[in-house]
């Protein structure tokens, strides 16, 4: 499929899942355990960030072991990591910022990729290259729901969709998801690195289950 078709498929799927846990995973065993917890607790998606050397390997193993888990790659800052992510089995990738070189490479290869934006100029540059799925980052620091509404207004007729990430919490997540232009949010409060490292699986499971129940309540 083309870049546009793949991006639309991702938006359609994320619009059903609504919350994508954003994970910084340091090693394979605990990373796979986290993926297992997500599925067991009813939140079948993960954005595994390329902030660690283990990211690509975990995506590859998770894609093989948990084919029903909708896997994305985060913090994609260059074309090499873009290819590594999709070679490993990621269905989509996102970045904190707008890098036209990475976007052009994604378009050329038909990779579903959402660059990060937080200004009208970045939105227009991304859309000029064919992007209609964008990451709003850092969501809360950039002005939160109020800012996002203002950003959406001039472009909503063009079919742009967003995934706000950064500072999204249980206290504000419903406000973001209430916007029809928001396909999903990045759940930075789910699967925190310190809890994973400590093996606090019961605590993590409770948090994931609560998020999954909240999504169900919106339907």
């Amino acid at each position: 499929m083309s870049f546009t078709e793949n991006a639309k498929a991702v938006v359609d799927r994320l619009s059903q899942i609504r919350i994508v846990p954003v994970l910084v995973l340091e090693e394979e065993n605990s990373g796979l355990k986290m993926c297992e917890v997500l599925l067991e607790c009813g939140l079948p998606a993960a954005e595994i960030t390329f902030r660690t050397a283990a990211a690509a390997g975990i995506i590859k193993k998770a894609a093989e072991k948990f084919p029903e888990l909708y896997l994305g790659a985060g913090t994609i800052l260059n074309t090499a990591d873009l290819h590594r992510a999709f070679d490993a089995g990621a269905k989509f990738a996102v970045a904190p910022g707008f890098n036209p070189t990475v976007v052009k490479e994604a378009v050329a290869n038909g990779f579903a990729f959402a660059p990060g934006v937080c200004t009208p100029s970045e939105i227009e540059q991304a859309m000029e290259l064919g992007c209609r799925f964008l990451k709003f980052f850092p969501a809360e620091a950039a002005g939160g729901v109020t800012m996002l509404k203002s950003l959406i207004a001039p472009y909503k007729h063009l079919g742009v969709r967003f995934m706000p990430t950064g500072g999204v919490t249980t206290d504000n997540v419903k406000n973001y998801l209430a916007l029809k232009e928001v396909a999903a949010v990045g759940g930075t409060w789910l699967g925190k690195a310190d809890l994973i490292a400590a093996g606090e699986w019961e605590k993590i499971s409770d948090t994931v289950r609560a998020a999954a129940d909240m999504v169900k309540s919106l339907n």
Side-chain angles (χ1 to χ4, degrees):
M1 290 194 292
S2 69
F3 173 78
T4 301
E5 291 169 331
N6 275 322
K8 184 181 183 304
V10 169
V11 167
D12 289 346
R13 184 71 182 107
L14 294 185
S15 295
Q16 298 169 343
I17 298 170
R18 306 309 314 271
I19 298 177
V20 180
V22 178
L23 306 174
V24 181
L25 303 174
E26 297 288 349
E27 60 91 28
E28 186 177 292
N29 289 336
S30 60
L32 292 176
K33 175 64 177 177
M34 183 66 217
C35 291
E36 182 180 3
V37 166
L38 292 176
L39 281 175
E40 288 179 348
C41 296
L43 211 54
E47 176 194 321
I48 297 175
T49 64
F50 269 58
R51 300 182 198 179
T52 72
I58 293 171
I59 290 174
K60 188 176 191 307
K61 288 288 181 66
E64 295 168 354
K65 191 172 183 179
F66 309 112
E68 63 272 47
L69 187 66
Y70 205 67
L71 288 166
T75 322
I76 299 300
L77 307 179
N78 54 65
T79 58
D81 282 348
L82 180 74
H83 281 276
R84 288 176 64 217
F86 284 92
D87 287 346
K91 293 289 195 299
F92 66 97
V94 300
F98 170 69
N99 182 330
T101 299
V102 178
V103 173
K104 289 174 184 177
E105 185 72 6
V107 171
N109 287 274
F111 296 151
F113 177 71
V117 299
C118 65
T119 68
S121 296
E122 290 166 336
I123 292 173
E124 292 187 21
Q125 290 175 76
M127 294 182 75
E128 179 71 18
L129 294 178
C131 297
R132 293 296 182 275
F133 175 43
L134 304 170
K135 176 175 178 171
F136 176 50
F137 180 85
E140 279 296 290
V145 171
T146 301
M147 180 63 171
L148 183 54
K149 285 181 179 178
S150 296
L151 289 174
I152 287 168
Y155 309 109
K156 63 192 305 180
H157 65 291
L158 299 175
V160 65
R161 303 292 296 279
F162 292 89
M163 184 166 78
T165 305
V168 181
T169 67
T170 54
D171 294 328
N172 59 29
V173 62
K174 287 186 179 180
N175 296 330
Y176 283 103
L177 292 177
L179 303 178
K180 67 178 184 177
E181 290 80 14
V182 170
V185 300
T188 53
W189 77 95
L190 298 155
K192 288 186 174 295
D194 58 339
L195 294 180
I196 294 173
E200 296 278 2
W201 299 114
E202 187 173 345
K203 186 177 292 186
I204 292 169
S205 295
D206 289 344
T207 302
V208 174
R209 201 173 288 113
D213 288 345
M214 190 275 292
V215 170
K216 288 177 186 175
S217 74
L218 297 176
N219 297 332

